[in-house]
Amino acid sequence: MEIFKDKVQIADKITLGGDKMVLFGGPCAAESYEICIQTGSKVKELCEKLDIQYVFKSSFDKANRTSSGSYRGPSKEDGLEILARVKKELNVPIVTDVHESYQCAEAAEVADVLQIPAFLCRQTDLLKAAARTGKAVKIKKGQFMAPEDMKYAVDKVRGENNNNVFLTERGASFGYHTLIVDIRSLPIMRQYTPVIFDVTHSVQQPGGKGGSSGGQREFAPFLARAAAAAGVDGFFIETHPNPEVALSDGPNMIPLHQMEDFLKMLKRYWEIR
């Protein structure tokens, strides 16, 4: 099976697909500046200690929540302002979700990577709008998609003369409220682009708490080790100082105080892949 050889550049600071592991990490939603800067500062410190490339992640809007009563995040303006402050103070690249084509240009003024949510990975106009910003485009594989079909999502971005595109595995629907990770998807998608493994959404239970999503974070280390051993270019991990009170995706986020041990373990497996 052929492996994609080209690299993806992020903000002229990070090379994806090279010899160094990349972490995309932070709180699910940009709940507040305080939560974002506390989380980002700690994760950056750990990544520098462990020689891991770091991209801060948080979302200014979570448009695909289970219930209309679920927290979506701050307003677009407030959320992007929080991300801009974190980017400036920590001097790290930023990744955030976009859900609508019109959001791409404004989000790209702050973000270095635009993330296409899994449910939207077939949305041609959204993919093309993200590509036209010139920023790197991170596409999550849909829970309903075969890994080989993600080639066509990648082609939509490259068709706009943007080669800085890569894919993310986050599990496939397996009955109701359950996801399962097919490790075969990692080398299959690695034929087309560098691949990131989404540790925390792979243990999510979509809609599993009756109006909100549940999660089984106790299984995160097992899936992360399997992905590292199979061979990926980096990891996506949502983390929070206190997931039990987080306003979005708390049940599957890794507690911030556990991140050092988690990353040490993960890097050991990544290095022997």
Side-chain angles (χ1 to χ4, degrees), residues 154-193:
V154 170
D155 288 345
K156 291 175 183 179
V157 174
R158 290 188 177 138
E160 299 298 318
N161 296 314
N162 186 341
N163 291 322
N164 282 325
V165 55
F166 55 105
L167 295 170
T168 300
E169 170 60 64
R170 54 95 15 105
S173 295
F174 186 72
Y176 300 122
H177 307 313
T178 303
L179 299 171
I180 190 167
V181 176
D182 180 357
I183 293 297
R184 295 175 301 176
S185 70
L186 302 175
I188 290 171
M189 293 195 298
R190 195 62 183 76
Q191 297 175 96
Y192 318 129
T193 72

Side-chain angles (χ1 to χ4, degrees), residues 69 114 254:
L114 299 182
I254 305 299

Side-chain angles (χ1 to χ4, degrees), residues 26-119:
C28 178
E31 301 175 20
S32 68
Y33 167 74
E34 290 74 21
I35 291 290
C36 287
I37 198 67
Q38 178 185 354
T39 305
S41 296
K42 181 61 177 177
V43 178
K44 179 186 179 185
E45 173 192 324
L46 294 174
C47 286
E48 288 177 344
K49 178 179 177 180
L50 298 171
D51 194 26
I52 296 170
Q53 300 179 99
Y54 178 48
V55 180
F56 176 83
K57 183 272 166 184
S58 199
S59 300
F60 63 86
D61 182 28
K62 302 295 294 184
N64 52 353
R65 302 306 308 278
T66 303
S67 164
S68 61
S70 298
Y71 178 76
R72 287 182 56 160
S75 68
K76 180 177 65 173
E77 292 75 17
D78 290 346
L80 289 176
E81 182 182 351
I82 289 170
L83 295 179
R85 290 179 66 187
V86 170
K87 178 178 180 176
K88 181 178 180 181
E89 293 187 33
L90 297 184
N91 191 30
V92 295
I94 298 288
V95 58
T96 196
D97 299 285
V98 287
H99 296 84
E100 303 278 357
S101 300
Y102 72 83
Q103 295 177 335
C104 294
E106 191 170 357
E109 293 179 8
V110 174
D112 304 282
V113 183
L114 299 182
Q115 178 168 275
I116 307 299
F119 285 126

Side-chain angles (χ1 to χ4, degrees), residues 211-249:
S212 64
S213 292
Q216 295 177 301
R217 74 169 68 96
E218 65 270 25
F219 293 115
F222 300 97
L223 294 181
R225 287 195 291 264
V232 292
D233 300 284
F235 300 87
F236 179 99
I237 302 176
E238 289 186 338
T239 181
H240 191 281
N242 187 356
E244 304 310 319
V245 299
L247 299 179
S248 176
D249 273 358

